[in-house]
Amino acid sequence: MNPVTQEQKLLLRQILGWRAAMSIVWSVLLLPLYTAAFISISSIDFFHPVQWITGSFSDLYTSHVIFCILLMSVVILIINVFSVEFHAVVPSIPCSRLALIGKIIHPQQVIHAVAHAVMGMLVAWCAAVMTKGRFLFLSVPCTAAESALDAVPHACLNECHLFLLLLGAFLGYRYSLQYLVNNMNCLPFPIIQQYKYLRFRRSLPLLVKHSCVESLYVVRNFCAAYYFFGYIARAWIMTTMDLLPDRKHHPLDTVAGLLDLSLLYHSWLCSVFLLVTWYTAWLLFRIYATEAHHFPVQPTFAEETDQCLPKILNSNPPPFLKFLALQDLMFLSQYSPVRRQEVFSLSQPGGHPHNWSAISRECLNLLNDLMEKLLMHQEAAAANGRLKQPPVGDLTQPPSPLGAAVEETSFQTPRSSILPRVHMPSLVKSSLLPLKASSASDLGSNLGSPFNPSPLSHKAGILELNSPWHGSVQSPHIMRRGTKLWTSYSDPWCSSSPREPLPVTPIAKATNKAAQPNSIYTWLQSKKEQVKSFLSRRVLIMYFFSKHPEASIQALFSDTQKHIWALEGLSHLVAASFTEDKYGVVQTTLPAILNTLLTLQEVVDKHFKLPHVSSKPSRISGNLADPFYKTLRFALRASLKTAIYRITTTFGEHLNAVQVSPEHKKRLQQFLEFKE
C-alpha cells in the first residue's frame, strides 16, 4: 500500500483535533458541577441543612475554590492530550506475563504513569484545600514541649494533608496502570449510532457507581501500603521542611491512626472526585472520537481526491482514519441509497466502475488477510507439541521429488495469490479451496536451506515437502504434546506494534542439490535447543514465558472490527445491487465474493473447533472499562453467517447461475434452504 499522504495526516488532525477539543470543552464545563457536589458532600450536615446549603454555595465563589477549578481544568487538558497521543483502535494484548511486564516498563508508559501520579497529587491537593478544616495546610502550628510554660511555637507536620497528597499520587499511578492493562486507550466504536448526549447520559450512572466502588478498594490498598511504608515519606518531608511531628494525634502508620473515620471518609470522597472527573474526560473523548464521519464517494474538486472513501480504503491511512472509513462504508451500504448509486456508477469518460472496484477489492483483501492469518494459526496449533523437528543433519538429505503438481490456491479475487495453500490434515479439506497447478517457474530453491526451519516455513506459508505431514504416510517423528518454553511459531499479532500483512512465499520445488549446513550453525542450533530444554524445566521461567491460550486468541482477533465492517458493507452493497445496480458492475465480482465468504466461514468454523477455543462468549460484566475485544470473534462468526444469508435471501435461486466450486454450491444450497 501507499504510505500515508500529507493530506491524510491533515485530515486526521482535523477530525481528531476538533473532536478532542469538544470533549475538553465539555469536561471543563462539567468540572464546576462536580466541584459543587464535592464541596456539598464533604461538608454535609443533616442537623443544620439551611446553614449547610448556604455555606456550600458561599464556598463555591471563594478565591481558593476558583483557583482549584482553574488548576483542575489544566489537569483535564493534559489528560485529554494524553488520550489523543495514546489513542488506538486495535488493542494491544500481551500473550505472556513477560510481555505484560515489558509493556508496563516501556518508557512511554513510565512517562504516562509519572505524569498521572503528579496530576493525581495536584487534584488531591485541590480536594484537601476545598475540604478545609484539618486538611487545609501541610504544616500546622504546635508546641515542642508538653509544659505550657516552656512552650515555644513550632511548625508541625499535618499528616492528614500528606496522606491525601500521597493518596492522589497513588490513585494517579493506579489509573495509569489500569489505563494500560485494560486497554482504555482503545476506542470501541458503537454498534448503534446514538446522540452523544444519550450515550453520555446512559454511561453516567455506571461511571459514578464504578468510581465509588473502585475508590473503596483504592483506599483499602493505600492504607495497607501507608501502614508499612508511610514512615518513609513522613520522615523525608519532616527532614526537608524542618517540621516536627504532631504529638496531639496518632501517627497514621499505626492501627489507631488509620481507624480515623473522618480521614477514611474524606479519603474515599477525594478518590471518588478524582475518578469521576478523569473518567468523565475519558468517556467524553471516546464518545466524540467514535462518532461517525461521512467521506465523499466521489470528489467534488480535484483537491479532495485523497479524502474520498475509495481512496482512503485503498491507501494506507492512519488506523483511526481507516476504521472511520470502514464504519462509514457500513452505514453507506445500509442507510444511504443516494451514496450507493455513486458506488455503482461508472466513470465518465470510459465507463469503468472505479468506485465499486476499489471498495470491493479492499474488502476482499481484508477478508483474505484474516483468512490467511487464521489458517496459519490453525496450522501452528496442529503442529505445536506433536511435530518433532528432524535433526539438523537430516536437512542435508535431498527431499523427495514431487509426484504430482504442487497446488496453490486461487480465490478468484482481485488478489488471487493472497492465500497460498497451507497443508493442514483434518483442519481444512483439500476440496475446500479452488486449486490450480503452479508452473515450475514459480518454484524456489529455499526448501532445503538450514535457514528456513519448519516453524518459519509455516509462518511464511511454505509447504515443506519433506515434512512428516506431507504425503499419505506419516513420519515416525511424532512425540506427545508436552510443556514447551516457546511455541513452534511466533505470534505476530501478540505485539503492540502495528501489524503489516503477513508475507506470502510461493511454494518451493524440491531439488536434488541440497545446501550443506554450516558447522557453526549446527553447533548454535544444538546449543539453542539445550538452553530451551534447560529453561523449560524451570517453573519460574515458565511462569513468565508461557503464553495464555485465551490471550493469544484474543490477540488473533483484536482487529476484527474492521473485518466485521467489511463484511457488513460488502454484503449490504451486494444485496442492494439486486435492485439498484443499473449497469451490473457487481455481477463481475459476485463469484469472488461468494467464494471468499464461504471459504472464510469454513475457516472460522474450523477455528472454533480447535482446543482451548471457547465456542460461547463470556458473560459481560458491565463494568465501565469492560474489554470489548473479548467477544469480537463471536461477533465475526455471527456477522459472517448473517452476510451470507443476506445475499442468498436476496438473490435466491439466481445464485445457481454463479460459477463457484461444487463444494461451495452445496454450501450455498444449504443457505438457500436455511439449513445452516
Side-chain angles (χ1 to χ4, degrees), residues 508-574:
K509 181 180 180 180
T511 57
N512 294 328
K513 184 178 179 180
Q516 296 293 333
N518 193 349
S519 59
I520 299 179
Y521 173 79
T522 304
W523 182 81
L524 290 176
Q525 285 292 102
S526 62
K527 291 298 181 183
K528 177 183 175 182
E529 294 298 328
Q530 292 178 7
V531 172
K532 289 172 61 176
S533 177
F534 173 78
L535 294 178
S536 63
R537 292 192 295 268
R538 300 299 181 268
V539 178
L540 184 61
I541 298 296
M542 286 299 302
Y543 178 80
F544 288 102
F545 278 89
S546 60
K547 294 182 179 180
H548 195 275
E550 181 65 22
S552 300
I553 296 173
Q554 292 175 9
L556 179 65
F557 290 92
S558 60
D559 61 341
T560 310
Q561 183 62 66
K562 62 181 180 181
H563 303 103
I564 295 176
W565 284 335
L567 278 171
E568 295 286 334
L570 193 62
S571 62
H572 276 287
L573 286 175
V574 172

Side-chain angles (χ1 to χ4, degrees), residues 66 85 127 131 322 413 461 562 578 629:
I66 295 176
E85 292 297 327
T131 304
K322 186 66 170 287
T413 63
K562 62 181 180 181
F578 188 75
Y629 50 84

